[in-house]
Amino acid sequence: MVELSGNLLFIAFILYLVATLFFGGSIKQKKDLNDTKTTNKWGKIAVFLTIIGFISQLGYFIIRWIVAGHAPVSNMFEFTTFFGMALVGAFIVIYFIYRTTLLGLFTMPVAILVIAYASMFPRDISPLIPSLQSYWLYIHVTTAAIGEAILAISFAAGLIYLVKAIDQTKSTKKTFWLEFVMFCLVTVIGFVVVSSVFAGMGYHEKFNWVDKSGNQAQIEYTMPALTGPHEGKLLTKDGFKPWAEMPAFINAKKLNTVIWSVAAGIVLYGLIRLIIRKRIGSMLKPLVKNIKLDFVDEISYRSVLIGFPVFTLGALIFAMIWAQVAWSRFWGWDPKEVWALITWLFYAAFMHLRLSKGWHGEKSAWLAVIGFAIIMFNLVAVNLVIAGLHSYAGS
Amino acid sequence: MKDVKCECGHVNPHGTVLCEACGKILVEEENEKQLLDMRYEGSARRSQIYQKTVVDKVWNFFSSVKVGVWLIIITLIASILGTILPQKMYINLPPEVYYEKEYGWFGKLYYQLGFHDLYGSWWYLLLIAMIGISLVICSLDRVVPLYKALKAQRVTRHEGFLKRQRVFGASHNVDQRDIETVKQHLIQKHYKVREENGDLLAEKGRFSRWGPYVNHVGLIIFLFGAMLRFIPGMYVNENLWVREGETALVPETGEKFYVHNNKFILEHYDKEKNKTFEKALDRAGNVVKNYQSNVVLYQRSGEKIPGEKPKLEKVKEYKIRVNHPLEFEGYSIYQSSFRSEMDSMTFALINKKTEKSFGELTINLRTPKEKYDLGNGYSVKILNYFPDFEFAENGEPSTKSRVPNNPAFIFRMTAPDKPKGETSFVAIRQTIEPFGNNTYKMAFKRIGTTNVSGFTVRKDSSIWVIIFGGILFMIGVIQGAYWNHRRIWVQNKNGDVWIAAHTNKNWYGLKREIEKVLEDTKLKMPEDQLQREQKDKEGV
């Protein structure tokens, strides 16, 4: 059963990849992308594949739920894959409102990256600690993830806007930051690549080290240690000798993973630039030439409008109800709680800026990008670095 | 301040930009714009008109959305600062020690800046309070004139108003039957259609305009509810430790409720029984499955008489687990922690040389007996007992507390061959024989432990206000986000038919709807003038 569920996830992943290619094909066809009544054959196949992939992933979700006895949203792998699924689901819904396949071309790669990223974490079905044993787990976590996924659609639309609107003929701050966004996406690929390569090699090295309370401990690296742990002694023969030793309060192993990922990201990005001989943003530009700016702007804003209430409900209100039941207080300034509040405040500011200051178009698109960055920060950094009460989500 | 009478006869309050009734532009500068600024219907807002007194200035400051957004952004950044290092409620050392010890100079600075209690700091609360004030004033400044303007609007609109709508178009030589078709289509689309001299105003979703105000009211109620907890008696948050087998008074209940702890249960996941979790458990080690206290809740019956044991009446039995607090009369008791406490020590009286045992005795560490008779003439007397032993400054043994953390005893052991008895001082891992070499010894056998359940006792009378605020916020935000306020004007002007439309958002949806409405007629689809402007700019 577990295997079947894993296979369904893999099938979904492959289908999403293929669908992305078809989405690419659908806009190569000379057609008015703003003409929403007709989608060409490529586009229809792409959407069809996306839906089949979504159903397959839903199968993974349900089967894993049955096997585990609880909804698979309880650790980093499960939550992040669910977020990926919600992203695809949100795209399908928005697609049927606006019928633009271009949105798929930008959303599906993000969903693919999210799922690939998720797969780098331990995939075992883990038992629930007492505070998680509640049906609020399903209600709170799924609603929050769906809300974030809908908000992420505004990022995809915002990206389309920026790719189209930013003048690539000269190098400006705007081109730099757009490239930075692209670089971040490439770095996720970098992380996936290095993790997979070292996992494939079965790389391991062990250290004895001293933690911040002065206790001896052992730690196992799965990548060559560029940054070694505090007073670390390499136990593995022929293991890689660290370049630098970290103080005890820095998690040297996680930092090491970050360095490897960024390095891989730089290499990958460099290779891409060498091959295409221009900025990624500039390479993508022809893809978006047939779309109207105010149309993507509207999709972006609409996604925020649809996603914001869902996010509020899931990430704040349901969260508070559950916190009241499980931890006896509805709000405790736990980092994850605070970051949910920060995300909420940000989108609240976004909507006020748009309404009253008339921040439409490009400004609004940048805001959508920043919003997504905050969501990703909450997903990745808060779980893995800041931890806190939600730290179980880090394993 | 004089009211302004429009040529249509409607009297508008001073400061109105667009006539509430016919939409005619009343302010010169607006005439030059290609498109109207339709926010708040061009109504007269207090903040735009009065700018003299201090009250006006304060009002104007807080009524600005710009200020509101700044407050949000500042709060946002401040909130981020608070997540860099753990807040003081999540640390296990005194803050003045913790931050420097764990994070060096940065931690020290963090503590000195007061960021260890950022969310409880006066300036953070002030920020929240200012957001609250901004919410009230912003809303009041806009909702009243907006309401009046929407209520006063007439069907027939001024030409200047229609022309400067974002979606606008004119059709020539129109068959009046087409207008009738359009009207039917609009009604089918759930528009409320009003008609005046052959002109149409179709409107729907006006209530979505109130969404922002409803959610702001919800937020204000929420913040107000959160403030209520500072009123004494509204909010109870106490820790309560109860040993197995003991009954304790539930604090802050007016000595009314007592809780008896029958048993504390700690369960771990078992790899053998839960094959599904085998791999995860191999990786993570022990994982707790359940924290549970089986308790009985009692209520005092009769009057409280000082010095007398209260009469208790059983209310209910309950298994308190995480996520399943015991609830009664607005109080909740949560399973929040546990600890194990030593409650007995067992010794054997032995001959030091032969190691022969003459019997065992178990001492209850909270209520030790004075003398333990082992039979056959062997007995042990406790001369002195130090539950939490330490050497005092004068070198004498003493006790730090009444909690048996580190018990020590002075025993007198009596045997048939030692009728006067031998004295021995026994503490954990040490025995002192103050009067020379003894024949007998108290040999330590084992300790007995008991579990102590840690509960949180909570009463939050303000929670209903907070819940109500939260629900109202959700209603408002959904009302504002999932519905659109759309208006379509179909009017006869100079023999042509003009169609103009406005929506507060989702223009794409509006345009598609107009397409549908104009089907089967010869009326021209109105144009999106904003898009035309953009095209001009983009040079397409």
Side-chain angles (χ1 to χ4, degrees):
Chain A
M1 285 286 265
V2 186
E3 237 167 78
L4 172 63
S5 124
N7 288 339
L8 283 175
L9 180 61
F10 185 67
I11 291 169
F13 184 78
I14 298 295
L15 284 172
Y16 294 158
L17 270 175
V18 179
T20 308
L21 297 179
F22 277 91
F23 277 123
S26 77
I27 54 153
K28 286 275 181 198
Q29 302 272 351
K30 287 265 171 189
K31 270 235 166 186
D32 186 3
L33 290 167
N34 308 291
D35 182 4
T36 50
K37 277 167 220 131
T38 52
T39 306
N40 61 34
K41 209 187 259 166
W42 287 72
K44 277 182 186 149
I45 294 171
V47 174
F48 177 74
L49 289 175
T50 307
I51 292 172
I52 299 293
F54 182 76
I55 292 168
S56 176
Q57 195 174 356
L58 208 58
Y60 139 84
F61 186 77
I62 292 167
I63 291 172
R64 195 171 164 106
W65 187 330
I66 293 167
V67 173
H70 61 257
V73 286
S74 68
N75 59 26
M76 194 70 179
F77 162 71
E78 291 176 341
F79 177 79
T80 314
T81 10
F82 181 80
F83 176 65
M85 181 165 90
L87 198 53
V88 176
F91 161 68
I92 294 173
V93 171
I94 305 266
Y95 171 79
F96 281 106
I97 300 177
Y98 290 106
R99 306 260 173 187
T100 172
T101 51
L102 182 61
L103 188 65
L105 185 63
F106 278 73
T107 312
M108 295 309 285
V110 177
I112 288 166
L113 280 183
V114 165
I115 296 170
Y117 174 78
S119 311
M120 297 302 118
F121 291 89
R123 270 171 279 179
D124 314 324
I125 297 182
S126 43
L128 295 183
I129 59 170
S131 61
L132 291 186
Q133 294 165 11
S134 166
Y135 53 85
W136 283 108
L137 170 69
Y138 324 144
I139 302 173
H140 154 61
V141 178
T142 53
T143 319
I146 292 170
E148 289 179 349
I150 303 171
L151 292 173
I153 297 288
S154 83
F155 160 72
L159 212 52
I160 297 175
Y161 192 103
L162 293 176
V163 167
K164 182 171 171 80
I166 290 175
D167 179 9
Q168 293 283 359
T169 53
K170 54 183 183 284
S171 171
T172 56
K173 250 192 246 168
K174 288 176 187 173
T175 57
F176 171 80
W177 285 109
L178 183 61
E179 279 310 283
F180 181 74
V181 174
M182 299 297 171
F183 170 73
C184 290
L185 294 173
V186 170
T187 303
V188 179
I189 304 177
F191 168 72
V192 171
V193 169
V194 279
S195 303
S196 312
V197 166
F198 287 123
M201 286 162 54
Y203 192 91
H204 282 286
E205 61 181 22
K206 271 190 184 172
F207 287 93
N208 266 336
W209 69 292
V210 179
D211 70 13
K212 61 182 177 190
S213 344
N215 299 325
Q216 280 282 341
Q218 239 184 39
I219 191 166
E220 190 171 343
Y221 278 58
T222 48
M223 295 180 190
L226 303 173
T227 54
H230 180 58
E231 292 180 25
K233 283 205 186 66
L234 186 62
L235 299 179
T236 313
K237 240 198 213 169
D238 308 324
F240 187 88
K241 287 230 170 61
W243 289 350
E245 186 184 300
M246 291 295 117
F249 67 89
I250 287 179
N251 188 323
K253 184 181 164 185
K254 283 173 184 167
L255 180 65
N256 187 51
T257 309
V258 171
I259 293 173
W260 272 106
S261 310
V262 173
I266 291 171
V267 171
L268 274 176
Y269 181 79
L271 282 174
I272 294 171
R273 288 296 293 267
L274 268 179
I275 295 165
I276 64 173
R277 302 256 158 209
K278 51 184 156 189
R279 294 186 205 97
I280 297 183
S282 163
M283 177 190 73
L284 294 175
K285 201 158 185 161
L287 295 176
V288 300
K289 70 167 187 281
N290 285 331
I291 197 110
K292 277 184 199 150
L293 280 176
D294 73 322
F295 181 58
V296 268
D297 181 51
E298 174 145 344
I299 296 175
S300 176
Y301 179 48
R302 193 86 192 281
S303 317
V304 174
L305 278 177
I306 299 174
F308 185 75
V310 180
F311 177 80
T312 312
L313 193 65
L316 293 170
I317 296 198
F318 288 160
M320 286 191 217
I321 297 173
W322 188 17
Q324 180 75 20
V325 176
W327 294 326
S328 81
R329 81 291 181 288
F330 61 87
W331 193 260
W333 300 107
D334 172 72
K336 192 89 181 175
E337 287 173 348
V338 176
W339 275 94
L341 176 68
I342 289 167
T343 314
W344 184 80
L345 286 174
F346 179 82
Y347 280 102
F350 179 147
M351 286 189 292
H352 283 96
L353 283 170
R354 204 179 154 105
L355 280 172
S356 71
K357 307 289 293 173
W359 279 29
H360 293 247
E362 204 174 308
K363 281 178 182 166
S364 173
W366 281 115
L367 289 179
V369 171
I370 298 170
F372 183 70
I374 294 176
I375 290 174
M376 285 298 106
F377 186 85
N378 199 0
L379 174 67
V380 179
V382 176
N383 281 352
L384 301 182
V385 183
I386 303 182
L389 280 179
H390 282 76
S391 59
Y392 44 76
S395 60
Chain B
M1 298 282 171
K2 263 190 287 171
D3 289 345
V4 188
K5 191 169 178 181
C6 174
E7 60 178 39
C8 73
H10 183 77
V11 180
N12 292 288
H14 171 81
T16 308
V17 181
L18 304 173
C19 170
E20 292 174 333
C22 73
K24 181 181 188 303
I25 299 165
L26 303 173
V27 176
E28 273 308 307
E29 307 94 71
E30 285 293 311
N31 262 320
E32 285 150 30
K33 290 190 186 161
Q34 277 201 316
L35 291 179
L36 286 181
D37 180 359
M38 284 289 285
R39 283 179 299 143
Y40 321 113
E41 304 291 309
S43 57
R45 287 158 48 204
R46 187 190 193 284
S47 60
Q48 308 297 304
I49 310 159
Y50 304 99
Q51 286 156 355
K52 289 219 173 103
T53 63
V54 181
V55 178
D56 294 340
K57 295 242 163 79
V58 173
W59 180 278
N60 294 349
F61 177 77
F62 281 110
S63 71
S64 148
V65 174
K66 192 173 159 189
V67 169
V69 170
W70 272 112
L71 287 172
I72 294 175
I73 300 288
I74 295 168
T75 311
L76 189 156
I77 292 165
S79 305
I80 292 175
L81 293 178
T83 61
I84 297 175
L85 297 184
Q87 289 289 294
K88 69 161 194 199
M89 54 275 204
Y90 293 110
I91 62 176
N92 47 14
L93 281 174
E96 57 274 19
V97 182
Y98 175 85
Y99 289 96
E100 194 173 357
K101 182 172 169 261
E102 296 279 322
Y103 305 102
W105 64 269
F106 181 73
K108 194 177 171 190
L109 182 71
Y110 197 80
Y111 170 69
Q112 281 168 344
L113 289 171
F115 288 177
H116 64 294
D117 186 21
L118 190 140
Y119 307 113
S121 66
W122 62 269
W123 58 272
Y124 193 81
L125 294 180
L126 185 71
L127 275 173
I128 304 278
M130 282 170 78
I131 289 183
I133 295 169
S134 163
L135 281 171
V136 174
I137 295 183
C138 270
S139 304
L140 282 179
D141 193 55
R142 289 167 174 78
V143 70
V144 176
L146 177 66
Y147 176 80
K148 282 188 189 152
L150 284 175
K151 213 172 162 205
Q153 64 173 334
R154 273 186 217 146
V155 175
T156 306
R157 284 270 155 160
H158 194 266
E159 289 174 16
F161 176 86
L162 294 174
K163 256 194 236 167
R164 289 184 181 78
Q165 291 301 314
R166 181 172 154 183
V167 174
F168 172 77
S171 308
H172 313 289
N173 308 324
V174 178
D175 187 343
Q176 279 304 312
R177 274 172 305 179
D178 278 353
I179 302 225
E180 191 53 35
T181 316
V182 166
K183 187 181 165 189
Q184 289 315 316
H185 284 168
L186 285 168
I187 291 168
Q188 276 166 23
K189 293 258 171 208
H190 308 291
Y191 277 88
K192 242 174 76 186
V193 182
R194 281 160 66 193
E195 204 167 348
E196 238 179 57
N197 332 313
D199 294 337
L200 299 182
L201 163 59
E203 183 174 8
K204 76 172 171 189
R206 192 197 284 186
F207 84 106
S208 92
R209 291 295 280 275
W210 315 127
Y213 308 105
V214 172
N215 81 44
H216 286 177
V217 170
L219 274 179
I220 292 158
I221 293 174
F222 184 96
L223 291 176
F224 174 74
M227 248 164 54
L228 281 181
R229 86 169 31 173
F230 296 112
I231 298 173
M234 289 298 271
Y235 184 70
V236 171
N237 177 25
E238 298 280 336
N239 289 321
L240 173 66
W241 291 90
V242 190
R243 285 186 196 94
E244 279 181 342
E246 291 194 352
T247 306
L249 172 69
V250 181
E252 305 279 341
T253 56
E255 294 185 31
K256 198 172 163 196
F257 288 101
Y258 291 78
V259 65
H260 177 83
N261 184 0
N262 274 332
K263 194 171 172 51
F264 173 79
I265 297 165
L266 170 65
E267 286 174 284
H268 289 95
Y269 282 98
D270 186 352
K271 265 195 278 192
E272 305 305 314
K273 279 189 202 150
N274 299 288
K275 287 284 178 202
T276 325
F277 303 138
E278 202 174 351
K279 275 188 203 153
L281 288 172
D282 277 338
R283 199 162 41 79
N286 260 346
V287 176
V288 175
K289 188 180 182 187
N290 188 21
Y291 299 107
Q292 176 177 328
S293 300
N294 296 350
V295 301
V296 186
L297 179 72
Y298 291 102
Q299 189 171 2
R300 186 167 46 78
S301 66
E303 280 302 298
K304 182 167 69 181
I305 305 160
E308 209 166 285
K309 237 189 164 182
K311 276 186 207 123
L312 297 182
E313 225 171 80
K314 184 163 151 184
V315 180
K316 62 174 158 185
E317 287 184 22
Y318 193 78
K319 291 168 178 149
I320 303 181
R321 286 177 293 147
V322 180
N323 274 313
H324 302 275
L326 164 63
E327 284 167 352
F328 57 96
E329 291 197 13
Y331 293 91
S332 306
I333 300 186
Y334 295 85
Q335 176 69 54
S336 64
S337 65
F338 80 99
R339 65 167 187 251
S340 231
E341 218 175 67
M342 248 192 288
D343 76 332
S344 70
M345 278 179 109
T346 303
F347 294 95
L349 179 67
I350 59 166
N351 183 304
K352 266 161 72 180
K353 262 187 206 143
T354 62
E355 297 208 339
K356 188 181 176 223
S357 168
F358 302 98
E360 287 187 1
L361 54 110
T362 299
I363 303 167
N364 184 319
L365 294 175
R366 237 163 289 111
T367 51
K369 285 200 287 185
E370 217 169 282
K371 192 179 170 188
Y372 296 82
D373 204 341
L374 300 174
N376 303 326
Y378 293 94
S379 69
V380 176
K381 229 174 147 180
I382 299 180
L383 296 182
N384 215 338
Y385 167 46
F386 311 96
D388 200 356
F389 165 73
E390 65 171 355
F391 280 110
E393 276 172 27
N394 57 9
E396 294 287 314
S398 70
T399 186
K400 266 189 277 190
S401 70
R402 301 309 304 165
V403 184
N405 288 328
N406 183 21
F409 305 88
I410 298 176
F411 292 119
R412 168 148 312 151
M413 305 163 288
T414 320
D417 56 329
K418 298 278 178 191
K420 275 192 191 158
E422 292 178 334
T423 307
S424 166
F425 174 85
V426 179
I428 290 171
R429 287 194 201 164
Q430 67 179 32
T431 303
I432 297 168
E433 294 172 353
F435 304 115
N437 216 352
N438 288 348
T439 315
Y440 293 96
K441 181 187 168 186
M442 293 292 281
F444 170 75
K445 284 287 167 196
R446 61 190 164 268
I447 55 166
T449 57
T450 184
N451 289 316
V452 194
S453 298
F455 298 117
T456 300
V457 180
R458 180 87 54 161
K459 185 182 141 186
D460 199 347
S461 308
S462 59
I463 195 95
W464 298 106
V465 181
I466 290 170
I467 290 172
F468 177 69
I471 292 173
L472 201 59
F473 175 80
M474 271 323 294
I475 292 173
V477 94
I478 287 172
Q479 183 181 343
Y482 294 170
W483 277 270
N484 315 297
H485 179 214
R486 290 176 180 169
R487 274 173 293 171
I488 301 173
W489 293 273
V490 182
Q491 320 223 311
N492 297 294
K493 299 279 175 195
N494 318 327
D496 292 340
V497 168
W498 288 13
I499 298 177
H502 181 260
T503 180
N504 59 339
K505 59 182 181 291
N506 188 4
W507 290 88
Y508 169 78
L510 174 72
K511 282 182 272 176
R512 291 206 62 188
E513 196 156 73
I514 297 173
E515 274 171 28
K516 283 268 165 60
V517 165
L518 297 184
E519 260 173 23
D520 313 320
T521 71
K522 291 203 189 77
L523 289 166
K524 239 174 52 192
M525 178 66 199
E527 222 185 320
D528 186 337
Q529 308 202 74
L530 190 73
Q531 242 169 36
R532 198 184 52 201
E533 257 178 54
Q534 262 177 7
K535 259 190 201 158
D536 294 345
K537 268 191 224 157
E538 284 174 35
V540 179

